[in-house]
Amino acid sequence: MRWKLAIVALLILGFSNCKRDPKPKEALSENQFIDVLVDIHISEGIYQTRTYLPDGMDIKTSDLYQAVLKKHNITNEQLIQTNLYYARNPKKFDHVYDKVLSKLKVLNSKPEEDELQLSRQ
């Protein structure tokens, strides 16, 4: 009986010491993180299709990532801290990625819509 009380007491003490995982001060807002991830995925798409670029045009993934960071006026450390925060909070990360995928779908459908409008004119 004492063992059971000791175990229950330890569990209660352990759970009372659990704190929420606060978002780091240097982390990006959710909307900014979504926009950055969208641009990173677009950059990765550019890199994957680099064989279609003119000869002599050399693209490095590091250059593409740096361009995304510069566009959003953020540091690599901010992106890392934000990514680590969401990695520790998978439900929030899923929510963010649902929004990223939605934005990418909208961006992907725009050329088709533009082509339809041009063909109707």
Side-chain angles (χ1 to χ4, degrees):
M1 182 69 164
R2 284 187 176 194
W3 286 102
K4 289 181 183 178
L5 286 175
I7 291 173
V8 169
L10 286 173
L11 286 173
I12 290 171
L13 182 62
F15 284 120
S16 67
N17 286 333
C18 291
K19 296 179 181 174
R20 292 184 164 249
D21 184 18
K23 196 173 191 180
K25 282 192 273 184
E26 60 274 355
L28 306 175
S29 70
E30 182 179 300
N31 288 333
Q32 192 176 17
F33 189 45
I34 290 167
D35 290 342
V36 169
L37 289 174
V38 166
D39 285 342
I40 286 173
H41 284 290
I42 291 170
S43 297
E44 289 172 347
I46 290 169
Y47 184 75
Q48 294 297 320
T49 59
R50 69 188 178 282
T51 55
Y52 300 109
L53 294 173
D55 290 337
M57 190 171 197
D58 186 27
I59 293 180
K60 298 176 185 166
T61 55
S62 60
D63 294 339
L64 293 171
Y65 283 109
Q66 289 303 315
V68 170
L69 295 176
K70 185 175 180 180
K71 174 184 176 184
H72 292 278
N73 196 28
I74 62 171
T75 65
N76 193 41
E77 182 63 25
Q78 286 176 292
L79 184 58
I80 289 170
Q81 288 301 316
T82 307
N83 200 36
L84 288 173
Y85 168 75
Y86 280 101
R88 291 188 307 267
N89 297 281
K91 287 183 181 178
K92 289 182 181 180
F93 216 162
D94 284 344
H95 175 73
V96 164
Y97 253 96
D98 286 342
K99 290 185 175 186
V100 169
L101 293 174
S102 292
K103 279 191 161 196
L104 287 170
K105 285 179 186 175
V106 168
L107 290 171
N108 193 39
S109 68
K110 284 192 178 207
E112 293 170 7
E113 291 172 5
D114 291 344
E115 288 175 17
L116 278 173
Q117 287 178 355
L118 286 175
S119 67
R120 290 181 185 161
Q121 293 177 352

